[in-house]
Amino acid sequence: MRKKIVAFGASNSRNSINKQFAQFAAHQVEAADIELLDLNDYEMPIYSIDREKESGIPAIAKAFKAKIQAADLVIISFAEHNGAYTVAFKNLMDWISRLEGSTWDNKPMLLLSTSPGARGGKTVLDLASRSFAFMTKGVISSFALPSFHQHFSTTEGITDQELRASFKTTLQAFLQEANTLIIQ
């Protein structure tokens, strides 16, 4: 059975290393149809309850949520801004959280992060792993890739053998657990 994967980098940078990492991760799943999203296509006014009451929820927030609902698996790679989510991602998440159902529609989620630094965005990844547990009942797995420019190539993917093996182990465990839920 082919899986539908929605993947994106949680950044609005046009040259996002996290978008590259999310794309790489999605392409490691065999027999999958992949849709790579760009947060720049979902730019909206900053969320506020007043704005929601005055104008309702933007159509592009609904369109984004529909992409999540249509997926079997969701892959997100987080950029870290001052130890937290990027504003672009947080705003999108705030808008979609106002729609019916769980924020992430209880989809199995592979949460990733990377950065040029030695921790690889681990702070934001830990934040996401903890907070997403309250936003979905789906499987959540995570992996941080440190020192992106030293350990990643656009042609080879993860170049450090130890990190590559660790990523593969995380991905395989995630897919095994997610497959159990998808089949049910």
Side-chain angles (χ1 to χ4, degrees):
M1 174 175 111
R2 291 186 71 79
K3 294 170 201 63
K4 174 148 174 104
I5 298 174
V6 167
F8 61 94
S11 167
N12 62 346
S13 168
R14 280 184 235 120
N15 300 312
S16 169
I17 61 177
N18 280 282
K19 185 175 180 182
Q20 291 176 50
F21 192 33
Q23 181 176 15
F24 163 78
H27 281 94
Q28 303 312 298
V29 180
E30 295 177 11
D33 296 318
I34 299 163
E35 185 168 9
L36 187 62
L37 304 180
D38 185 333
L39 289 195
N40 290 299
D41 296 334
Y42 300 94
E43 194 169 301
M44 293 173 271
I46 295 173
Y47 176 79
S48 76
I49 192 71
D50 295 331
R51 186 169 279 128
E52 181 183 352
K53 286 178 182 176
E54 293 166 8
S55 306
I57 297 173
I60 55 177
K62 294 174 184 175
F64 182 88
K65 178 81 172 216
K67 300 264 187 197
I68 299 300
Q69 290 171 325
D72 294 312
L73 306 171
V74 177
I75 298 174
I76 306 172
S77 187
F78 293 94
E80 185 173 286
H81 287 192
N82 299 313
Y85 306 122
T86 65
V87 172
F89 174 76
K90 178 67 167 79
N91 190 51
L92 176 61
M93 186 171 66
D94 287 346
W95 278 111
I96 68 168
S97 73
R98 302 297 293 169
L99 295 165
E100 287 188 38
S102 83
T103 304
W104 300 105
D105 207 46
N106 295 322
K107 300 297 178 175
M109 303 183 80
L110 178 59
L111 305 181
L112 309 169
S113 67
T114 192
S115 75
R119 287 185 35 83
K122 187 101 172 74
T123 302
V124 72
L125 185 60
D126 290 345
L127 170 67
S129 295
R130 282 190 316 274
S131 65
F132 277 40
F134 298 103
M135 294 181 227
T136 185
K137 293 178 183 161
V139 174
I140 299 174
S141 295
S142 63
F143 178 85
L145 178 66
S147 306
F148 178 82
H149 299 294
Q150 292 173 304
H151 297 133
F152 192 87
S153 158
T154 54
T155 57
E156 299 172 45
I158 301 171
T159 55
D160 179 276
Q161 295 308 312
E162 193 173 308
L163 289 169
R164 187 178 192 90
S166 180
F167 172 79
K168 282 185 175 184
T169 299
T170 298
L171 180 63
Q172 288 169 350
F174 166 70
L175 291 173
Q176 186 172 15
E177 194 171 351
N179 281 337
T180 303
L181 294 175
I182 292 169
I183 291 170
Q184 291 177 353

